Amino acid sequence: MAGTSVHSLLFVLSAFSAVCYGGSVIRERDAVPAGYAARPYYPSPHGGWTSDWSASYSKAKALVEQMTLAEKTNITAGTGIYMGNPCVGNTGSASRLGFPQLCLQDSALGVASTDNVTAFPAGITTGATWDKSLMYQRAVAIGQEFRGKGVNIYLGPTVGPLGRKPLGGRNWEGFGADPVLQAVAGALTVKGVQEQGVIATIKHLVGNEQEMYRMYNPVQEGYSSNIDDRTLHELYLWPFAEGVRAGVGSVMSAYNAVNGSACSQNSYLLNGLLKDELGFQGFVMSDWLSHMSGVASALAGLDMDMPGDTQIPIVLGTSYWMYELTRSVLNGSVPVDRLNDMATRIVAAWYQMGQDKNYPPPNFSSNTHDRTGLLYPAAVLSPIGVVNYYVNVQADHYKVARQVAQDAITLLKNDDDLLPLSTSHKLSIFGTDAQVNPDGPNACGNRACNKGTLGMGWGSGVADYPYMDGPIDAIKRRTSNVTYYATDSFPSVPTPAADEVAIVFISSDSGENSFTVENNHGDRDADKLAAWHNGDKLVQQAAAKYSNVVVIAHTVGPLILESWISLPAVKAVLFAHLPGQEAGESLTNVLFGDVSPSGHLPYSITKAATDLPASIANLRGFALGQVQDTYSEGLYIDYRYLNKHNITPRYAFGHGLSYTTFSLTNTSIRAVTPLTTPFPPARPTKGPTPSYSSAIPPASEAYPPPGFVPIWRYLYSYLSKPDADAAAAAANQSTTYPYPAGYSTVQTPGPPAGGASGGNPALWDTAYEITLTVTNTGARHAGKAVVQAYVQFPAGIGWDTPVIQLRDFGKTGTLAPGGGSERVKLGLTRKDVSVWDVAAQDWVVPDPGARYRVWIGEGSDRLGVVCYSDSLVCEEGVGGPV
Ligand SMILES: *[C@@H]1O[C@H](CO)[C@@H](O)[C@H](O)[C@H]1NC(C)=O
Ligand SMILES: *[C@@H]1O[C@H](CO)[C@@H](O)[C@H](O)[C@H]1NC(C)=O
Ligand SMILES: *[C@@H]1O[C@H](CO)[C@@H](O)[C@H](O)[C@H]1NC(C)=O
Ligand SMILES: *[C@@H]1O[C@H](CO)[C@@H](O)[C@H](O)[C@H]1NC(C)=O
Ligand SMILES: *[C@@H]1O[C@H](CO)[C@@H](O)[C@H](O)[C@H]1NC(C)=O
Ligand SMILES: *[C@@H]1O[C@H](CO)[C@@H](O)[C@H](O)[C@H]1NC(C)=O
Ligand SMILES: *[C@@H]1O[C@H](CO)[C@@H](O)[C@H](O)[C@H]1NC(C)=O
Ligand SMILES: CC(=O)N[C@H]1CO[C@H](CO)[C@@H](O)[C@@H]1O
């Protein structure tokens, strides 16, 4: 129980931790580099103008119209950290009208801080399956668990960080270092979760690519991710666009700044890109304690303040919103129109998911595992009540959890077909990562330690394990011919027989900056890309003794394998990623050949960290003032960079072997919607949005009810009568708020690239469809194949484009050995063959008549099939582009 409370307290304290890194003092922020600017974009576009949301907006309007000022401001902010209901965030209610407090709960991989739930495999593991159906099924199960616990708002999926920096601490919460892999998995997660009636939250918008210095605090600004317009569109915003198109109800802004302006109050990002261009109809919430202004953030497009507090929570019980937002509306600084839109967006999302009908209230507490507990833990005197009902929401979700964990396992190397093992092999097993943490899988709050099998990273992106099926337990269930050395220092062992197999478990962990684990401050700043606990040395020592070594890595991301990967004894390597609770049997099913491995890498594994440029290979270190993280590599991250510079990685993005082999044959391409013009057809115009009176409501709408007794430090939206009257009087004085440059209250028609949820709907016209036959050509093992499609833009179009870019993928079912086959269909949209034209501010197909190549294969370096957009011919058995 202490785990969660201690966590959150540490989390709060971490807001100030930057001080420890360098003892900075309050100062003006450093200049953002020349050329990067956070332009103003006002006003905040009204929600409700797309047809897919219009019915919910009508209902929302009918409800919001009846709300008083204090009710509207109540639902746009949390009631304070540890205040009121049981979740990590809890909004105020408009209970007079039947609008409840909303429960917001971590994490992206399962319901956090409670029991009787499933600890699903992490995002990176899910990405490594390359299986759309499993991505969706996992989301359905997650959605059912959040609903079962009475959570209104799921704080996932994570599609930012994108994985720009291999050392970045939270990359594992997302799906892989490519915008399309991230976008497909993110959008399917939104769909699966929201079909259960739970509002999903796509996060973190945007540029939170490292953990250190991410947060603003009273003495230092969070770092600024300086991202040019084209790179933002083609990489970092891409998954958000797909999430919006999938109908996501909520977006969480990132801690850091973009172009010098904090994401929670960056008008260009929230008003311009998200709400106008991407046509986002839900609401934007701040990341926890990243709210830092009242009027400014409201005008910039923030709709919900989480968890309600200022950056110094609890102590004072203060907020930038709640009663202050009430004041700002009464005194005329925040237009009533903006507050109406904020409230309508929140209520519309609630209707859109059907939460007005039979939605269960929360049944658990994030604050304690006891049945009863404090109802307001941060209050000094709090009533006590039943807070945990122990509702078991696990159903049979272990099955999909295990399937994801199993189908993610990525075979990097398998010399002499050492794998699969037979149960007659004598096995010697090394490494503490093979066994469940002897103190219990949840011994460390927020998994902020790396002890025992690594099933997830650390921080807020975790869940408690109901149990953990450890690898060594599963191996022992299979064979008794096994000796386990539960150590990370190579022990003295008997001389092995020639056919004896050593299995070495290694790990690499990372997480959120709120915790430091073995000197890693969230990011892998201490251990870098080496295995923890001297794992690389353990492998080398095992390889010196045994002639058959299998390495199994539980890891948040890429590792540098060079110190042992070419040793002749190291015959097989499996990346099992972060499997969650089902670490054991998912692995033994692969090890012993019940199934062939079918995972593929969701990132590249380079031979050296310096194979990537310094801007992404390194973390930004301490700076006086605001740390500037400039995306000088532009589009060239991960394989895009390596291909451009002809750097051969150890294992390429998308690489993954099987026990069997596949052929890709009978490939055909067909043009579906002809691309007759470089620019898409004109966008649809915005539909109508709810209209309300714009008159400032009477001050009496802010007064607390007669006899109102507040709970100390609970955040309310009421203003005392004197305060409310004074605010209303101020509205009639000549003093006006110092609005930012470019401020306007006139709604605009929106940019050409917009037009519907996600952007101009014509961007999703299918331009080309490719069909091929995948056949299992091996004689012995069944297996699933992953087929990846990459676009190569024509030469001479006047645009610098990466050599190849992933655009679609598919995974077969289990194909029988000796010819089992399946037809696979892949598609490319107009957007997939477009670049972002900064001058035109639109997507453009540079030369629709030229030859676009679509490369198809089982990895970014195994592309033996190519199809041409101009001749509509496909060739097989070709050498790939890289
Ligand atoms: C950041 O600055 C660049 C360069 O001026 C610009 O292209 C881009 O649109 C800006 N992005 C945001 C979110 O302000
Ligand atoms: C705001 O929400 C809280 C928590 O549900 C509730 O106690 C309070 O009465 C609400 N305020 C208004 C104005 O409805
Ligand atoms: C209105 O109230 C807000 C919140 O306290 C304050 O920031 C703003 O300056 C006030 N505006 C005027 C015109 O007094
Ligand atoms: C939670 O669920 C239990 C069992 O399903 C139910 O009895 C209880 O009333 C629910 N708790 C709340 C606060 O609604
Ligand atoms: C264990 O493995 C060794 C080497 O393969 C073999 O000789 C022995 O019979 C096995 N023992 C058992 C109990 O299977
Ligand atoms: C080959 O492709 C054609 C056209 O797409 C299709 O009709 C046919 O069934 C395919 N043949 C096989 C053996 O898959
Ligand atoms: C502010 O002015 C409006 C009309 O100009 C008036 O109706 C309202 O009563 C005034 N409010 C206060 C608090 O004086
Ligand atoms: C299956 C499971 O984990 N059940 C647990 C539900 O929560 C109660 C209270 O913590 C436990 O006692 C059960 O074991």
Side-chain angles (χ1 to χ4, degrees):
M1 89 174 248
T4 50
S5 310
V6 168
H7 151 242
S8 303
L9 192 59
L10 286 172
F11 178 79
V12 164
L13 294 174
S14 79
F16 312 109
S17 64
V19 186
C20 310
Y21 296 137
S24 92
V25 291
I26 298 174
R27 62 183 65 239
E28 292 298 299
R29 77 177 186 217
D30 282 2
V32 170
Y36 294 94
R39 280 169 283 160
Y41 197 107
Y42 298 101
S44 192
H46 290 163
W49 53 268
T50 66
S51 57
D52 48 342
W53 281 74
S54 57
S56 299
Y57 267 83
S58 303
K59 293 182 202 165
K61 191 207 167 193
L63 193 75
V64 171
E65 213 160 35
Q66 302 172 58
M67 289 185 183
T68 63
L69 172 58
E71 284 168 340
K72 290 176 193 171
T73 50
N74 210 30
I75 68 169
T76 64
T79 56
I81 203 161
Y82 297 135
M83 276 299 180
N85 280 340
C87 305
V88 299
N90 310 278
T91 63
S93 64
S95 46
R96 183 180 63 91
L97 300 169
F99 191 80
Q101 288 194 268
L102 300 179
C103 155
L104 294 83
Q105 188 69 4
D106 287 315
S107 80
L109 61 65
V111 188
S113 309
T114 189
D115 42 51
N116 295 287
V117 300
T118 304
F120 290 90
I124 200 72
T125 316
T126 310
T129 66
W130 295 71
D131 187 328
K132 293 177 183 175
S133 160
L134 274 181
M135 290 167 178
Y136 170 72
Q137 289 172 46
R138 169 181 175 271
V140 168
I142 288 175
Q144 286 169 355
E145 298 205 0
F146 276 76
R147 184 185 180 116
K149 290 284 187 184
V151 177
N152 299 87
I153 301 174
Y154 158 69
L155 299 177
T158 300
V159 299
L162 181 66
R164 169 180 177 241
K165 297 185 181 187
L167 299 179
R170 296 182 78 179
N171 298 346
W172 59 272
E173 295 184 42
F175 305 99
D178 175 274
V180 168
L181 183 55
Q182 196 78 249
V184 168
L188 288 167
T189 303
V190 167
K191 180 172 151 43
V193 165
Q194 292 196 161
E195 281 174 0
Q196 316 314 311
V198 179
I199 298 171
T201 308
I202 201 164
K203 63 185 190 178
H204 309 82
L205 187 74
V206 63
N208 188 358
E209 298 287 335
Q210 76 169 42
E211 284 298 288
M212 286 163 73
Y213 314 113
R214 65 181 178 156
M215 264 176 116
Y216 281 69
N217 62 55
V219 295
Q220 196 190 26
E221 289 89 1
Y223 60 75
S224 176
S225 289
N226 304 314
I227 316 177
D228 69 80
D229 194 29
R230 182 172 169 210
T231 301
L232 187 63
H233 277 85
E234 294 189 22
L235 294 188
Y236 301 95
L237 205 57
W238 186 292
F240 287 94
E242 294 291 333
V244 172
R245 185 171 156 80
V248 73
S250 171
V251 170
M252 188 191 289
S253 64
Y255 281 120
N256 52 279
V258 169
N259 290 5
S261 172
C263 289
S264 64
Q265 52 186 24
N266 184 321
S267 66
Y268 189 73
L269 189 60
L270 303 183
N271 290 338
L273 295 173
L274 179 63
K275 289 183 174 175
D276 237 3
E277 186 183 316
L278 303 188
F280 174 57
Q281 305 296 318
F283 59 92
V284 184
M285 71 172 77
S286 63
D287 202 345
W288 267 236
L289 307 176
S290 74
H291 196 208
M292 58 194 122
S293 67
V295 178
S297 60
L299 301 180
L302 192 75
D303 303 304
M304 184 184 279
D305 158 21
M306 273 294 141
D309 313 71
T310 59
Q311 289 163 286
I312 305 179
I314 302 178
V315 182
L316 301 172
T318 52
S319 180
Y320 295 110
W321 279 8
M322 281 291 185
Y323 56 93
E324 286 297 351
L325 186 57
T326 304
R327 193 193 321 269
S328 313
V329 172
L330 279 179
N331 75 17
S333 290
V334 170
V336 177
D337 177 71
R338 179 74 265 270
L339 177 64
N340 284 335
D341 178 61
M342 291 159 67
T344 310
R345 284 175 174 272
I346 293 164
V347 176
W350 182 74
Y351 278 120
Q352 182 81 351
M353 309 310 152
Q355 293 194 359
D356 55 318
K357 297 196 189 75
N358 302 320
Y359 205 82
N363 262 308
F364 70 102
S365 171
S366 296
N367 306 314
T368 175
H369 290 316
D370 297 341
R371 178 168 293 277
T372 56
L374 302 176
L375 296 183
Y376 309 105
V380 168
L381 292 173
S382 165
I384 288 178
V386 175
V387 291
N388 276 315
Y389 293 86
Y390 305 113
V391 177
N392 192 327
V393 294
Q394 296 166 98
D396 63 353
H397 298 158
Y398 72 90
K399 289 183 184 164
V400 63
R402 186 183 296 166
Q403 194 76 43
V404 171
Q406 174 181 299
D407 288 16
I409 294 174
T410 308
L411 179 64
L412 299 180
K413 170 176 182 176
N414 194 19
D415 286 0
D416 305 337
D417 291 337
L418 176 62
L419 296 182
L421 300 173
S422 113
T423 48
S424 68
H425 274 112
K426 180 165 163 40
L427 303 179
S428 294
I429 302 192
F430 301 90
T432 57
D433 177 73
Q435 70 179 356
V436 177
N437 182 347
D439 307 330
N442 298 316
C444 302
N446 293 85
R447 310 297 83 80
C449 65
N450 181 11
K451 190 169 177 194
T453 307
L454 185 70
M456 54 184 80
W458 75 77
S460 62
V462 304
D464 288 352
Y465 293 103
Y467 60 83
M468 191 192 222
D469 177 26
I472 192 65
D473 306 311
I475 291 170
K476 285 180 173 169
R477 289 199 295 269
R478 288 293 183 120
T479 169
S480 53
N481 213 349
V482 47
T483 309
Y484 177 43
Y485 300 94
T487 171
D488 296 316
S489 308
F490 195 73
S492 131
V493 296
T495 303
D499 64 344
E500 198 171 323
V501 174
I503 305 182
V504 184
F505 282 82
I506 62 175
S507 72
S508 173
D509 201 355
S510 73
E512 199 172 8
N513 184 225
S514 342
F515 305 90
T516 297
V517 177
E518 301 183 35
N519 292 322
N520 293 275
H521 296 84
D523 303 314
R524 294 190 280 175
D525 57 326
D527 282 274
K528 303 280 197 299
L529 300 177
W532 286 32
H533 309 149
N534 290 315
D536 295 314
K537 192 171 169 208
L538 188 64
V539 175
Q540 291 169 53
Q541 289 173 311
K545 190 93 185 178
Y546 295 80
S547 42
N548 302 296
V549 175
V550 179
V551 179
I552 292 166
H554 288 120
T555 176
V556 291
L559 297 170
I560 301 294
L561 312 175
E562 296 309 301
S563 68
W564 47 261
I565 191 67
S566 303
L567 298 175
V570 177
K571 292 194 171 145
V573 180
L574 289 169
F575 265 37
H577 309 284
L578 301 173
Q581 69 182 39
E582 301 297 333
E585 201 160 313
S586 59
L587 181 65
T588 50
N589 286 346
V590 171
L591 269 182
F592 293 100
D594 304 73
V595 298
S596 290
S598 64
H600 286 247
L601 285 176
Y603 43 72
S604 303
I605 295 180
T606 59
K607 293 178 183 163
T610 50
D611 282 350
L612 293 170
S615 63
I616 52 178
N618 303 335
L619 300 164
R620 288 303 96 174
F622 181 79
L624 294 176
Q626 186 175 47
V627 172
Q628 300 298 325
D629 191 357
T630 298
Y631 289 35
S632 52
E633 74 289 342
L635 301 172
Y636 296 98
I637 64 169
D638 201 272
Y639 67 91
R640 289 167 168 79
Y641 181 85
L642 300 172
N643 292 341
K644 181 180 173 72
H645 296 278
N646 289 314
I647 298 167
T648 307
R650 173 55 57 187
Y651 294 113
F653 177 84
H655 171 75
L657 302 174
S658 172
Y659 296 152
T660 187
T661 51
F662 303 99
S663 68
L664 310 183
T665 59
N666 198 23
T667 313
S668 63
I669 180 171
R670 125 186 132 83
V672 182
T673 306
L675 302 174
T676 50
T677 54
F679 287 101
R683 62 166 284 169
T685 53
K686 285 183 177 179
T689 57
S691 86
Y692 299 91
S693 159
S694 60
I696 297 178
S700 59
E701 288 196 11
Y703 301 165
F708 173 68
V709 182
I711 296 160
W712 187 45
R713 292 195 296 215
Y714 196 94
L715 300 174
Y716 295 98
S717 59
Y718 303 117
L719 275 186
S720 69
K721 184 170 187 307
D723 275 15
D725 292 347
N732 284 1
Q733 288 163 10
S734 57
T735 49
T736 52
Y737 184 81
Y739 290 106
Y743 180 66
S744 156
T745 55
V746 183
Q747 291 283 315
T748 62
S757 291
N760 186 341
L763 295 172
W764 281 272
D765 287 346
T766 300
Y768 302 100
E769 188 182 86
I770 289 157
T771 313
L772 67 155
T773 302
V774 182
T775 306
N776 183 344
T777 49
R780 294 173 52 211
H781 299 279
K784 298 179 183 176
V786 168
V787 183
Q788 307 165 23
Y790 295 79
V791 69
Q792 180 175 26
F793 282 74
I797 49 172
W799 292 87
D800 185 29
T801 53
V803 182
I804 52 168
Q805 304 187 72
L806 181 72
R807 286 304 189 236
D808 199 6
F809 55 88
K811 191 164 189 172
T812 66
T814 302
L815 303 179
S821 74
E822 194 175 304
R823 295 286 280 166
V824 172
K825 261 194 181 54
L826 301 164
L828 269 75
T829 64
R830 171 181 271 276
K831 191 175 175 186
D832 288 333
V833 291
S834 296
V835 294
W836 177 252
D837 184 329
V838 174
Q841 285 293 295
D842 206 350
W843 293 96
V844 58
V845 184
D847 182 352
R851 169 162 291 195
Y852 287 71
R853 290 173 169 80
V854 186
W855 295 93
I856 297 157
E858 296 178 71
S860 68
D861 62 346
R862 271 175 86 191
L863 299 171
V865 178
V866 64
C867 297
Y868 305 114
S869 68
D870 52 351
S871 60
L872 297 179
V873 164
C874 299
E875 293 178 42
E876 293 164 358
V878 298
V882 293

